[in-house]
DNA sequence: TCTTAAATATGATTTAAATCATATTTTAGA
DNA sequence: TCTAAAATATGATTTAAATCATATTTAAGA
């Protein structure tokens, strides 16, 4: 449903939300270890996120990745969409071509409500909000 | 979240629920085509389901797969558990070792409710109920 | 009891996701 | 302007899931 890559991306972005800003950029090697994702792997994901403008970066010495204030207002779904593609979460749970209520598969009625609720929450929850939860101790980041 | 194999298994079991019983067994080759799953692939899955007693089968001429009345009372989650293993649906959505509310990952609060609701429904909905839906036209099987 | 039709057991191959590796480009600072 | 430190671009390798292939076992019916 959500790929491993997306999970890693979310972890990395949250890490940046908590520890970085315009003045405090962070290098991949200092991100990969605390979030427990191989450096070369998370590097590739961060590059993709940067290319799609979900996170910010600068090259060269003193460079690194960070989240601008704008970046922090992004929602979680944006990350999943960039890494996994838009279709993934909307796909039928039994692999029908299109999932819709007019031509529902046998478990559509069973599962669709949960999925809709989840997707709404992923869309309306910002990176900032999740980062705040972690800072307040309501959730834990080092995974 | 739910593997392809599990999806195929669910489709096959529902097909059996609708078209088979003790007196009307069905061969793999007559199952694979209507549910649109490669024969050798679904054969392997059906064999596993039969071994775990989720479906019934007999070998030799006139043999095939079918669902006994008992089999039809199974719930959907049983199938997923047999094919994917019990852990899969209970796993943390961000790949934490254990998912629990005492040590929640950043999206636990966001996602857990939806997952719990989904899992409850998967547990309490029987194969028979889903098959009835299809028969009544409330949902569609040929996928 | 022989033949044949079916599931079963087992393993090989393919494919897509995950992971790793490295040459290139940019930029800060000497 | 040179050097070094960082991201970027690109592609190779590995791994797990999906898919395919086939020899073996069982049972019905002639
Ligand atoms: S049609 Fe299958 S989940 Fe909607
Ligand atoms: S701890 Fe991550 S989903 Fe529960």
């Amino acid at each position: 449903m959500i790929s491993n890559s997306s999970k890693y991306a979310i972890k990395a972005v949250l890490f940046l939300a908590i520890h970085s800003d315009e003045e405090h950029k962070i290098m991949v090697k200092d991100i990969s270890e605390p979030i427990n994702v191989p450096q070369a792997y998370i590097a590739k994901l961060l590059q993709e996120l940067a290319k799609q403008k979900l996170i910010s970066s600068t090259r060269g010495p003193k460079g690194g990745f960070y989240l601008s204030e704008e970046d922090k207002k992004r929602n979680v779904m944006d990350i999943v969409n960039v890494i996994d593609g838009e279709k993934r979460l909307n796909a039928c749970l039994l692999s029908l071509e299109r999932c819709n209520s007019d031509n529902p598969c046998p478990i559509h009625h069973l599962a669709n409500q949960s999925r809709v609720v989840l997707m709404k929450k992923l869309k309306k929850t910002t990176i900032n909000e999740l980062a705040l939860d972690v800072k307040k101790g309501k959730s834990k980041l080092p995974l």
Side-chain angles (χ1 to χ4, degrees), chain A:
Chain A
M1 191 172 189
I2 290 184
S3 73
N4 237 314
S5 292
S6 276
K7 295 176 185 181
Y8 291 170
I10 292 171
K11 292 205 284 183
V13 171
L14 282 175
F15 184 83
L16 287 175
I18 294 167
H19 294 102
S20 82
D21 58 39
E22 255 99 357
E23 275 78 48
H24 301 87
K25 295 159 190 168
I26 312 187
M27 299 183 286
V28 271
K29 63 172 180 170
D30 294 325
I31 299 173
S32 67
E33 204 220 329
I35 66 173
N36 202 31
V37 175
Q39 172 168 343
Y41 191 4
I42 198 63
K44 203 167 199 176
L45 294 174
L46 287 170
Q47 284 166 28
E48 183 65 20
L49 291 170
K51 190 195 269 186
Q52 306 297 329
K53 308 287 187 192
L54 291 196
I55 69 177
S56 306
S57 66
T58 58
R59 303 207 236 194
K62 301 283 171 182
F65 294 96
Y66 64 98
L67 296 198
S68 68
E69 287 310 305
E70 284 307 302
D71 294 336
K72 292 181 184 175
K73 292 176 189 158
R74 291 281 190 171
N75 63 60
V76 187
M77 179 74 91
D78 287 338
I79 298 174
V80 177
N81 281 341
V82 160
I83 302 294
D84 286 347
E86 311 248 345
K87 292 160 303 189
R88 186 146 177 160
L89 278 175
N90 286 307
C92 165
L93 296 176
L94 286 189
S95 306
L96 206 58
E97 354 286 283
R98 274 207 321 284
C99 166
N100 63 339
S101 303
D102 297 332
N103 193 34
C105 75
I107 69 168
H108 179 91
H109 299 306
L110 194 73
N112 200 51
Q113 189 57 26
S114 291
R115 180 174 53 182
V116 168
V117 168
L118 174 61
M119 286 181 52
K120 274 191 182 150
K121 287 184 182 170
L122 288 175
K123 271 182 196 148
K124 83 171 201 309
T125 305
T126 65
I127 298 303
N128 224 339
E129 290 173 299
L130 290 185
L132 271 178
D133 279 355
V134 175
K135 284 181 182 168
K136 288 180 190 164
K138 289 186 183 174
S139 62
K140 302 279 170 53
L141 185 53
L143 309 161

